[in-house]
Amino acid sequence: MRALFVVSGWTGHWAPLVPLGWGLGAAGHEVRVVCRPDQQEAVGRAGLVAAPLLRGLDMVLQTRLAYLWQARAGRRDCPWPLLHPVTGAELDSPDDFDEAAWMREERPRIARDVVDSHDRTVAFARTWRPDLVVSDPMGLEGLLAARVLGVPHAVHTWGPVGPAEDDVDLRLLPPDPARAFPRHGLGPLGPHLLDLVLDCAPRPAEGALAVRYVPWAGGRAPAGDLPAPGGLPRVCVVWGTSPTVMSGPRSFVLPDVLRALADLPVEVVLTASAADVERLGRLPRALRAAGSALHVVQDHPLGAALAGCDAVVHHGGAGCVMTSLVAGVPQLALTLAPEQAANGRRLAELGAGLQLPAHETAATVRAAVARLLDDPSFGAAARRLRAANAARPAPADVVRRLEQVVAARRGAGGPDARPDAGFDGGFEGGFEVGFEVGATCAAS
C-alpha cells in the first residue's frame, strides 16, 4: 500500500503523524510526505521521505495576520503590541498595517502560489498513485488529492481541541480561497468530504476514531541526564519557540515565571531553546545564588524533562499540552492567543490543569502553581487522562484500521470507483481574499 502524507507548514501540526508514518513503514507500506520546502529537513529528521511541493504563505505570516484579524474583531486578550505581519516590528495599532495596500501588491503572487500548491499535489498524486492520503487539518491539498483520485482520506488532529468545535478559531478545515475543490469538479469544500478523522483529543468528536497521542520530539536527543528529584516538588517550565515569533519580544514572560516560582518550595526544571536560555542572561545564576533549586537544560525534549515532575508550566501550545498529558502531569497554561487559551480551558474542564493569560502577575502564577501542587484532584485527573490516552489504539493498530479502509474501498470498485473529475485548466475570478487562517496555525 502507498500512503501519501500532506502536511502544513508548522512542524507541530504534523508531529502526531510521524509515529503513524513509522507504523506504516514497519508494516511494509510506502510513505511519501508532501510538504513545503522549509519542512523538508524536519521530515527527513523524522525518517520519512519528503516531496517539497507546497507553496503559499508561510505559517508565521499567516498567524500574525490571524492575530491582526482577531484584534480587529475584539477577540484578542493580550496587552502587548501586535506585530507587523511581514516585518515583525511592533505596531501601535492594528490599523498601522495597511492590509489593503499589501494585498493589492501580494495578491497575484499569493494566488499563484496557492493554486500551484494544490495543483502540484494533485499532479504528484496522479503520478505516484497512493492508496491512501493522510493530512493534518491544515493540509487541505491532501483532501483535494484524495477526492480527485477517489482514494480514502484521513485527517489527523494535533491537540486537545478536536474537530467538533464551533469557534471559528478552532475549525477543523481551513477555507478554500483558491476554490480548488470546485475547480476540480468536487463542489464546495465542507466536512462532508472527510472520510475519517483520527482524533487524539482527550474528548474525541462523535464519529471520529479516537487514537493515541504519541509525542515526537523533532528528532532531538536529551541534552543529558537531569539530577534525581531532591525531595521537593518538581515543576517543569517550558517555553516554545512560537510565542516570541508570533506575539513579539514582550511575550517572553519566562523570566517572570522563574521569579514567581523562586518563592515556592519547589525545584524547577527549565527546558528552552539555546536562544531563549541566552536571553535569560544571568537570571538562572542569580536564582541559584538566592537558593532556588533550578536545573536548566537547552533543547531538551519535553517528554524527557517531565519525568519525575509534579507540575508543568507552558504557553498552551498543543504539543506542550499533549506531551504533558501523555506524562500525566498537571498543567498551567499561560496563554497568548485564542487557540492556546482554548487548549488551556479544555485542560481546566477536564480537571487536569489551569489556564491564565500570559500577562498575569507573578503572584497569580505562583498561586496557580501552588494550587496544582496542593490539590490532589489535579494529579488524579492528569493520571486519568494519561491512562485513557494509553488505552487508545496505538499507531500499529491505526495502520490496521487504515488497511481495512483501503481494502473496503478497493472492494467497492478500487481507487477509480470515484470519478476523477480532472482539472479544467481555467481559474475563473482570481483569488478571493477569504483566506483568514484561524488561529489554529499557532497551535504549537
Side-chain angles (χ1 to χ4, degrees), residues 235 237 257 260-261 264 266 310-313 332 334 354 356 363-375:
V235 178
V237 177
V257 173
L261 297 181
L264 288 176
V266 298
D310 302 285
V312 58
V313 181
L332 172 60
L334 298 175
L354 298 169
L356 293 171
T364 304
V365 172
R366 187 182 308 115
V369 173
R371 184 182 171 195
L372 291 179
L373 296 173
D374 295 341
D375 186 341

Side-chain angles (χ1 to χ4, degrees), residues 220-267:
R220 299 192 310 274
D225 294 330
L226 287 166
L232 293 173
R234 176 171 278 192
V235 178
C236 179
V237 177
V238 57
W239 206 247
T241 56
S242 65
T244 304
V245 174
M246 308 297 192
S247 299
R250 303 194 201 195
S251 67
F252 187 68
V253 300
L254 195 52
D256 301 320
V257 173
L258 294 178
R259 292 189 186 98
L261 297 181
D263 294 333
L264 288 176
V266 298
E267 59 175 316

Side-chain angles (χ1 to χ4, degrees), residues 10 13 59 63 67 242 246 315 317-318 337 339-340 438-444:
W10 194 256
H13 289 175
M59 203 58 65
T63 305
Y67 290 173
S242 65
M246 308 297 192
H315 72 290
E339 81 284 355
Q340 297 160 4
T440 45
C441 57
S444 302

Side-chain angles (χ1 to χ4, degrees), residues 25-74:
H29 304 304
E30 287 186 76
V31 179
R32 294 290 184 274
V33 182
V34 172
C35 62
R36 287 175 53 95
D38 57 11
Q39 297 293 295
Q40 183 173 5
E41 181 182 352
V43 170
R45 288 200 307 271
L48 301 174
V49 180
L53 304 173
L54 302 185
R55 302 291 185 266
L57 296 177
D58 71 78
M59 203 58 65
V60 172
L61 177 57
Q62 290 188 39
T63 305
R64 290 172 180 169
L65 281 169
Y67 290 173
L68 193 72
W69 293 323
Q70 290 163 5
R72 290 172 177 168

Side-chain angles (χ1 to χ4, degrees), residues 3 52 89 95 111 119 151 270-271 307 328 397 414 432:
D95 296 330
D119 293 344
V151 300
L270 167 65
T271 176
D397 301 314
E432 293 181 349

